[in-house]
Amino acid sequence: AQSVSQHNHHVILSEAASLELGCNYSYGGTVNLFWYVQYPGQHLQLLLKYFSGDPLVKGIKGFEAEFIKSKFSFNLRKPSVQWSDTAEYFCAVNARTGANNLFFGTGTRLTVIP
Amino acid sequence: EPEVTQTPSHQVTQMGQEVILRCVPISNHLYFYWYRQILGQKVEFLVSFYNNEISEKSEIFDDQFSVERPDGSNFTLKIRSTKLEDSAMYFCASSEATGYKTQYFGPGTRLLVL
């Protein structure tokens, strides 16, 4: 069965600090990988996705993620966070073929202090 | 930009009552999903729906749950006899296709069962 692990439950950073949120997944086949963000009081929004090709993907708002197949990882990064990045971040995977359902990690709450 | 919409945003119900949660997926999307997030826990897949039938369902999606696409736009989740543990945020999502598939989420319905 697929599973997703996000080891950081709550991260607190000052503005302009660099961010890296870890995501590891467990699945035997080919996967699609996603990061979703949930701003306070809002719904899940797609931040970025990886399907194939260049393992370094760039998303909205200056976020990027790198797929490292050998480590089953898809870590999210941002060189300089802003107060407006305060949100909950979810890593998710689904299978490239067959079932469509997404498996989510438990989420990482990011608090950025001005 | 097209969005998934959900109604109501909040629903309070008594244990044992039936509830229907409504979703309007993005208009050209063919695959529809329901997920839920119990407070403090991860987002969990409930069911996926394609071509007017369920394509996948999780262990959570037992006989108390049903889904329907009653017309060309709405996608509903019915809980026949609500339990306290059904209290959660319920998210609808839709995607255009399978394979390289991105799911877009609605804002959610917060269900409270008393």
Side-chain angles (χ1 to χ4, degrees):
Chain A
Q2 297 181 33
S3 67
V4 180
S5 298
Q6 290 181 247
H7 305 294
N8 312 107
H9 297 294
H10 191 188
V11 173
I12 302 172
L13 295 173
S14 298
E15 274 194 316
S18 65
L19 170 72
E20 180 160 2
L21 301 182
C23 172
N24 288 91
Y25 69 93
S26 171
Y27 182 64
T30 305
V31 296
N32 302 315
L33 296 151
F34 307 85
W35 276 97
Y36 286 87
V37 60
Q38 190 174 29
Y39 296 104
Q42 297 189 30
H43 61 284
L44 287 163
Q45 300 173 41
L46 182 68
L47 201 54
L48 48 78
K49 62 190 177 189
Y50 173 78
F51 289 155
S52 63
D54 188 345
L56 184 62
V57 292
K58 295 190 184 300
I60 60 172
K61 304 186 181 185
F63 285 91
E64 64 178 32
E66 184 175 13
F67 171 49
I68 302 179
K69 189 174 181 180
S70 61
K71 295 184 178 180
F72 296 89
S73 70
F74 189 56
N75 291 355
L76 181 71
R77 299 196 291 251
K78 185 170 183 178
S80 176
V81 294
Q82 301 171 314
W83 176 79
S84 57
D85 294 324
T86 295
E88 187 123 19
Y89 293 81
F90 295 92
C91 181
V93 303
N94 64 6
R96 180 71 53 77
T97 58
N100 301 340
N101 48 293
L102 285 167
F103 289 85
F104 283 85
T106 50
T108 297
R109 179 177 298 176
L110 173 65
T111 302
V112 180
I113 301 169
Chain B
E1 185 178 321
E3 290 184 337
V4 177
T5 60
Q6 290 185 242
T7 54
S9 57
H10 294 80
Q11 172 113 33
V12 180
T13 189
Q14 296 291 324
M15 192 169 55
Q17 294 296 304
E18 174 183 287
V19 295
I20 297 176
L21 309 183
R22 291 182 168 79
C23 167
V24 179
I26 295 172
S27 62
N28 64 333
H29 286 188
L30 302 175
Y31 294 83
F32 315 118
Y33 314 83
W34 283 102
Y35 293 82
R36 78 172 185 192
Q37 185 181 28
I38 294 172
L39 191 63
Q41 298 185 25
K42 65 171 71 176
V43 177
E44 301 172 292
F45 168 75
L46 293 178
V47 66
S48 60
F49 191 85
Y50 169 70
N51 199 25
N52 283 319
E53 60 183 28
I54 290 173
S55 48
E56 299 287 336
K57 61 181 182 178
S58 72
E59 295 170 352
I60 303 167
F61 194 86
D62 60 22
D63 292 342
Q64 293 297 315
F65 292 90
S66 62
V67 288
E68 193 177 36
R69 188 154 163 83
D71 53 43
S73 59
N74 287 284
F75 178 52
T76 63
L77 174 69
K78 182 192 291 186
I79 309 175
R80 264 182 269 280
S81 178
T82 50
K83 307 184 192 74
L84 296 175
E85 55 264 36
D86 293 327
S87 295
M89 181 74 94
Y90 288 81
F91 293 105
C92 175
S94 68
S95 67
E96 194 171 2
T98 58
Y100 298 87
K101 41 192 181 277
T102 298
Q103 295 179 27
Y104 294 91
F105 284 78
T109 294
R110 186 173 294 281
L111 175 66
L112 179 59
V113 182
L114 301 176

